[in-house]
Amino acid sequence: MSDPDLDRLELEHLALRRGLPREIASAIGRMVSRAGLMPARRDEVLEELIAHFEDGLASGRPPAELLAAFGDASLAPPPPALPFPVPRRGDRIVPRLIQDLRYAARRLRASPGFTLVAVLSLALGLGATTAVFSLINAVILRPTSVAAPERVVDIYETSKAYPYNATTNPDLADLRRGTTRVFSEVAGTRFTMAQVTRDGGVSRVMGEVVTGSYFPLLQIAPALGRLLGPEDDVAPGAHAVVVLGNGYWHRAFAADPAVVGKTIQLNGRAYSIVGVVREDYQGNTRGVVPDFYAPMMMVNQLSPGNTDVLQARGEHGLFAKARLRPGATLAGARAAATGVAAELKRQGIDDWVNGTSFTILPTADVIIFPGVDRMLYPVAGFLLTIVGLVLLVVCANLASFLLARGLDRRKEIAVRLALGATRQRLLSQLLTETVLLGLLGGAGGLLFATLIARVLTTTNLPLPVPLTLDLTLDGRVLLFATAVSLAAGALFGLVPALRTSNPRIASTLRDESAGGGQRGRLAMRHGLVVAQIAASLVLLIAAGLFVRSMRAVEAVDPGFGREPSGILEVVFPPSRYADASALLAERELAGRIRRLPGVTAVGMIDNLPLNLLNQQDTELGLPGVVAPEGQGGVTADYAVVDTGYFAAAGVRLLEGRDFGPGDGADAPGVAIVNQQLARRLWLGKRAVGQRVTRGKRILEVVGVVATTKIRSLGEDPRTGVYVALAQAGASGLWYVARTTGDAEQTASAMLRAAQDLDPELIPIAVRSMDRHLGVVRLPMRMAALVVTALAMLAVVLAAIGLYGTVSYAVAQRTREVGIRLALGADSPAMVRMLMGGGVRLVAWGSLTGLALSLLLARLISRLLFGVGAFDPATFVAVPVLLLVVASVAAWLPARRASRVAPTEALRAEG
């Protein structure tokens, strides 16, 4: 008996001792002996085959079927003699899938280091992708709970200054009367902040005041009690009832089902709780979830001020909705609204005479607000592109590792192909392994995404209103995460599987070390490294552009608030403070704040600049000058200030004087204008001493101050006018206190001073000036932080990929290095030679990345501030930085190889 026969019998005997059937043991002995493997590799393959067949027998499959599935067709039962194949239900796909999953699990368990690194890498990439999608889902994709939303529209007022402006209560009433033919319901809602007193404590809550038609229009049911209706919205101040938001009901009342009928103290008045909204209704604006809903007729009590919101045409803060009648069309609704606007113009109402009109949009087309929505899709696309590039780098890295591991499996694959296994069957097993990796990474990514969501929802961001986003992983997010995980597994596994399953069988079986297709694999690994470098460069350039934009935002001088300051917004309820007593109380609070430790100056203003929630303007004219038809005069931002505001806020007085004690209610009207308004009205003339008209009142300009940023940091200079507090009055004021101490502590002390003066004062905002300015700087700061973090992650992964590729290339040239060193080559020359391939990969990747970056920069130009899309500094510095990092990654393995002793290098492949 020949040696191969003895070897086969020995292998068969080992398989029989493990309890396998004789036909399987014989097949195993035949397979392994044919391969002619080295002893160590033979034992490994033998154990792999035994484990494979043990799993198959444990699942109840007959031995012949297992052998056929493995590829040993000679031992399988012959197929039936039919003219066409007859598939058997459940006999092919499911058992094979289970078998492949078991095989893949064994392979992953056998390489715990690789599995751990792969799963963690995928978890980072897939977690970031899932987190971004969950944010997009919460803001853009999640459907509304409103019944028949396709019949609901949003209504705005459009003018030259405001393409989409909120409406007013009188305008809404006129619209309701003029559109009864097309709308079954017309409703309005506006936000309000209120002070709630419960259990001896005071806190601020945010709510919405809504018209009686609001909830009937939405057609939603309550969770408890009832919702507000027309009967609650009849007479001003007469119906002190509220409906609680579901979240606030859980937080403040522990979801007490007996809450209906109880009372809640809002701004010192008891309101009866009549119901709780459903959990799936999150308010009128995504991300802003009200704590309560009150009738519109209570707006003056909940938002006290000097004007009657129910009657004032200038109080634009009402967001209007309407529901189309059956058979009515959007075109018909727009025509009816145009008729109402024409009637208002005919009546001579100011805004409408100047060309204001109604704009009607389907509610389904409005996400948050039309002026904001146009940026949402570009931002969403940009975020998905960024995390997609990171995921691409992760997949390229894993594909590179799998190509390297494929060289170790080339003998096994060649044996299985030689024994009759089909390439399709091998591809199925190899892809199952990578898809399983993808799913494991996806599971880790869900945990990572949950962590990111928790950070986003618990971080105290400097926002003017609480931001509440439902970032729970609903079915849509889970489906997205699963699909991306499967796609990622297939993406990084497909190319290595194609290469691994197509070896040169003869050469591989002849020589254990002769891997078929090594040059092709190496070229493919090089291509993957180029892709990683290119993607990393795109991310780095995007990060560089946003960091430069953030620095530009930080460098903008708003014209005020340069010194550390605490700020407090507080309302003096008109029901308790008449005009004269309000001014005395306001001055008394200013005096108390002035006496706080570290405070050097105190001022008051009714509308602090860069306050995103409540900006106001007015129309000014010149005495004796008739404005052109259709124009009411010059529109200027308007604010009421006291004698100390400009000094406390650091607004420079350029000429004239500040307001003084003599500018009282009985004194002639005075105003201070900013430099932009002075140039527009009196270019080349001295503004001090000039007069302007505001309504029927004539104001003398007594001073000119520097132009500050008013509505945004990126705005062109805006015209502005200030009037004296003693002459105009205001029930809601911002106090600005410049301090030599800690600004946040000063703000807290200001709040205590207000509460000591009168516990029923309504504090709206308490923070430092730096935190106030941080609101307008936040978007760019967040963009720079997120993109930079993702870019650095991609660079690290790309550097690891480059390091692995160069290390492999160096290992393949170990003998060559030994010969060169033995012939006298010096180490630096060896390092340069070995690094050359890696540096060339970096160069190709950088060129590709630069081309892609030019395209991306053009697409994100609208998101940048103060920096061009093709910023030279960024496009020069970033490639240099990446070249340095990549060169280090290539230098480390080259340096290590150059220090190996020539005898060891020659022995390595001898």
Side-chain angles (χ1 to χ4, degrees):
M1 188 176 292
S2 65
D3 289 342
D5 291 335
L6 291 173
D7 190 46
R8 176 180 57 78
L9 290 175
E10 180 184 356
L11 294 168
E12 180 180 337
H13 179 66
L14 290 173
L16 286 171
R17 290 179 59 186
R18 296 286 290 270
L20 294 177
R22 178 168 297 278
E23 61 265 39
I24 290 181
S26 299
I28 290 176
R30 185 166 54 256
M31 295 176 194
V32 179
S33 64
R34 282 180 190 169
L37 302 173
M38 296 173 63
R41 184 61 178 161
R42 184 189 65 180
D43 294 342
E44 181 183 344
V45 172
L46 177 65
E47 286 297 320
E48 193 73 36
L49 289 172
I50 290 174
H52 166 75
F53 283 108
E54 286 177 341
D55 287 347
L57 292 171
S59 66
R61 299 178 65 190
E65 182 181 322
L66 291 173
L67 290 169
F70 188 80
D72 195 351
S74 61
L75 295 180
L82 296 174
F84 53 87
V86 181
R88 291 177 292 172
R89 185 182 300 273
D91 194 43
R92 290 283 183 185
I93 297 177
V94 174
R96 284 191 176 186
L97 178 60
I98 295 174
Q99 181 186 19
D100 289 349
L101 286 173
R102 287 177 174 171
Y103 178 75
R106 279 203 314 273
R107 290 288 309 178
L108 296 180
R109 285 198 305 268
S111 306
F114 168 76
T115 302
L116 180 62
V117 171
V119 170
L120 288 178
S121 300
L122 285 168
L124 290 174
L126 293 170
T129 305
T130 303
V132 167
F133 182 80
S134 65
L135 182 62
I136 295 172
N137 179 57
V139 176
I140 298 177
L141 301 179
R142 188 162 287 154
T144 179
S145 57
V146 177
E150 70 279 359
R151 304 294 297 168
V152 181
V153 298
D154 283 15
I155 305 172
Y156 303 94
E157 291 186 10
T158 298
S159 63
K160 290 183 294 184
Y162 303 101
Y164 299 98
N165 196 10
T167 187
T168 69
N169 196 65
D171 292 342
L172 185 71
D174 290 327
L175 182 69
R176 182 184 293 113
R177 285 190 293 269
T179 56
T180 55
R181 183 174 52 83
V182 292
F183 293 139
S184 60
E185 300 285 355
V186 176
T189 174
R190 65 185 295 148
F191 291 109
T192 184
M193 300 295 294
Q195 183 172 269
V196 60
T197 306
R198 292 191 70 248
D199 302 326
V202 178
S203 59
R204 291 190 306 127
V205 292
M206 188 189 66
E208 281 189 273
V209 286
V210 301
T211 60
S213 54
Y214 182 70
F215 285 111
L217 183 153
L218 300 179
Q219 298 179 9
I220 61 174
L224 286 178
R226 68 175 180 86
L227 302 179
L228 301 176
E231 68 277 7
D232 301 308
D233 196 35
V234 177
H239 292 270
V241 295
V242 295
V243 170
L244 298 181
N246 200 281
Y248 185 69
W249 173 52
H250 278 80
R251 294 194 308 272
F253 295 90
D256 180 9
V259 71
V260 176
K262 294 184 178 181
T263 60
I264 182 173
Q265 292 284 329
L266 296 173
N267 290 355
R269 180 170 178 173
Y271 285 73
S272 178
I273 301 171
V274 297
V276 178
V277 299
R278 283 184 356 204
E279 183 178 6
D280 61 349
Y281 181 68
Q282 299 290 309
N284 185 55
T285 303
R286 298 195 183 203
V288 183
V289 181
D291 296 318
F292 69 90
Y293 302 83
M296 182 63 66
M297 288 297 165
M298 302 301 297
V299 65
N300 290 325
Q301 286 69 37
L302 290 168
S303 301
N306 293 331
T307 57
D308 183 353
V309 174
L310 295 174
Q311 300 298 326
R313 292 270 183 188
E315 283 290 329
H316 291 269
L318 198 70
F319 293 91
K321 286 183 179 293
R323 182 175 287 276
L324 292 168
R325 288 187 180 278
T329 63
L330 185 62
R334 287 170 173 161
T338 300
V340 174
E343 176 60 23
L344 292 174
K345 180 178 181 179
R346 189 189 66 78
Q347 294 175 14
I349 297 174
D350 289 344
D351 286 347
W352 302 93
V353 169
N354 297 330
T356 299
S357 61
F358 287 112
T359 294
I360 299 179
L361 299 174
T363 296
D365 293 346
V366 178
I367 301 171
I368 297 177
F369 185 75
V372 176
D373 292 352
R374 59 189 179 87
M375 296 298 296
L376 287 179
Y377 287 105
V379 170
F382 170 71
L383 289 175
L384 284 177
T385 300
I386 292 297
V387 294
L389 286 173
V390 174
L391 187 57
L392 178 64
V393 172
V394 171
C395 290
N397 227 357
L398 293 179
S400 182
F401 285 138
L402 287 175
L403 281 171
R405 294 183 79 215
L407 292 175
D408 297 331
R409 301 181 65 179
R410 63 189 184 276
K411 190 75 173 183
E412 171 200 344
I413 299 299
V415 168
R416 296 176 67 176
L417 288 171
L419 294 175
T422 65
R423 191 184 183 199
Q424 179 182 1
R425 189 77 184 93
L426 293 176
L427 279 174
S428 172
Q429 288 187 340
L430 294 172
L431 283 177
T432 301
E433 183 178 337
T434 61
V435 168
L436 181 59
L437 264 181
L439 291 175
L440 292 175
L446 288 176
L447 296 176
F448 186 49
T450 302
L451 177 63
I452 295 176
R454 185 174 301 171
V455 171
L456 288 176
T457 54
T458 57
T459 301
N460 184 20
L461 299 175
L463 296 172
V465 296
L467 186 63
T468 305
L469 287 174
D470 183 7
L471 299 180
T472 54
L473 305 180
D474 60 11
R476 189 181 293 102
V477 176
L478 292 176
L479 180 62
F480 172 84
T482 302
V484 174
S485 300
L486 291 172
L491 177 64
F492 73 78
L494 181 60
V495 172
L498 290 172
R499 298 294 303 180
T500 301
S501 63
N502 189 31
R504 296 172 182 171
I505 298 176
S507 60
T508 302
L509 292 177
R510 281 196 304 268
D511 182 8
E512 181 85 17
S513 64
Q518 291 189 43
R519 181 173 299 177
R521 286 191 179 89
L522 191 57
M524 196 163 294
R525 292 191 70 187
H526 288 173
L528 292 171
V529 171
V530 169
Q532 292 179 72
I533 295 295
S536 300
L537 184 62
V538 171
L539 287 169
L540 277 176
I541 285 181
L545 291 173
F546 277 105
V547 169
R548 294 264 293 167
S549 294
M550 182 188 70
R551 294 184 63 182
V553 167
E554 303 284 353
V556 171
D557 180 9
F560 68 98
R562 301 177 189 85
E563 300 295 329
S565 305
I567 59 175
L568 167 69
E569 183 185 8
V570 65
V571 173
F572 292 78
S575 59
R576 290 173 47 82
Y577 294 92
D579 292 344
S581 61
L583 184 60
L584 290 174
E586 290 161 358
R587 288 175 173 172
E588 171 63 20
L589 179 56
R592 294 190 178 205
I593 293 174
R594 191 174 290 108
R595 292 190 291 272
L596 293 175
V599 173
T600 58
V602 175
M604 294 177 278
I605 183 172
D606 74 328
N607 199 13
L608 191 65
L610 298 179
N611 165 35
L612 303 181
L613 291 182
N614 183 28
Q615 295 298 334
Q616 57 194 15
D617 54 38
T618 189
E619 286 190 346
L620 302 174
L622 297 177
V625 178
V626 179
E629 184 178 356
Q631 298 182 17
V634 175
T635 301
D637 285 285
Y638 168 80
V640 176
V641 302
D642 78 326
T643 57
Y645 169 73
F646 295 122
V651 179
R652 293 182 293 119
L653 182 66
L654 302 179
E655 59 176 293
R657 65 173 177 86
D658 199 347
F659 295 128
D663 300 318
D666 299 328
V670 292
I672 294 175
V673 300
N674 68 4
Q675 191 175 33
Q676 182 67 17
L677 181 59
R679 287 174 176 171
R680 180 168 179 181
L681 292 180
W682 307 288
L683 183 62
K685 299 180 182 179
R686 178 177 169 82
V688 174
Q690 302 285 348
R691 286 177 169 79
V692 295
T693 60
R694 180 173 179 262
K696 297 181 180 180
R697 190 171 189 185
I698 297 178
L699 305 175
E700 180 183 350
V701 176
V702 297
V704 178
V705 295
T707 301
T708 67
K709 299 296 183 181
I710 299 175
R711 303 198 177 195
S712 71
L713 289 176
E715 69 189 17
D716 294 329
R718 296 181 63 90
T719 55
V721 61
Y722 305 87
V723 297
L725 176 63
Q727 295 185 345
S731 61
L733 288 172
W734 294 79
Y735 286 80
V736 179
R738 196 169 73 239
T739 180
T740 58
D742 182 86
E744 291 288 352
Q745 293 180 3
T746 298
S748 299
M750 294 167 70
L751 175 61
R752 291 192 295 270
Q755 292 172 336
D756 290 343
L757 175 65
D758 184 350
E760 293 190 14
L761 294 182
I762 306 170
I764 304 299
V766 183
R767 53 181 177 263
S768 66
M769 180 66 78
D770 185 65
R771 191 171 177 83
H772 172 74
L773 296 175
V775 173
V776 291
R777 292 169 176 161
L778 178 65
M780 198 57 68
R781 286 177 176 175
M782 292 294 293
L785 175 64
V786 170
V787 178
T788 300
L790 293 174
M792 296 310 297
L793 173 62
V795 169
V796 170
L797 292 172
I800 292 173
L802 180 63
Y803 176 88
T805 298
V806 174
S807 295
Y808 177 80
V810 168
Q812 297 298 306
R813 302 177 69 178
T814 302
R815 187 175 182 82
E816 175 191 348
V817 170
I819 294 173
R820 289 177 178 270
L821 291 174
L823 294 176
D826 58 355
S827 293
M830 288 294 95
V831 171
R832 289 193 296 272
M833 181 192 73
L834 296 173
M835 281 183 62
V839 172
R840 283 192 294 273
L841 295 180
V842 174
W844 280 110
S846 298
L847 290 174
T848 306
L850 281 173
L852 294 174
S853 298
L854 291 172
L855 175 62
L856 179 66
R858 182 182 295 275
L859 295 176
I860 67 173
S861 58
R862 288 192 298 169
L863 306 178
L864 303 176
F865 179 90
V867 60
F870 309 118
D871 179 51
T874 303
F875 276 81
V876 171
V878 167
V880 171
L881 173 64
L882 184 61
L883 180 62
V884 170
V885 173
S887 297
V888 171
W891 173 76
L892 290 174
R895 178 174 177 271
R896 185 177 65 247
S898 68
R899 295 190 170 188
V900 175
T903 54
E904 296 180 7
L906 292 172
R907 193 182 304 120
E909 295 185 7

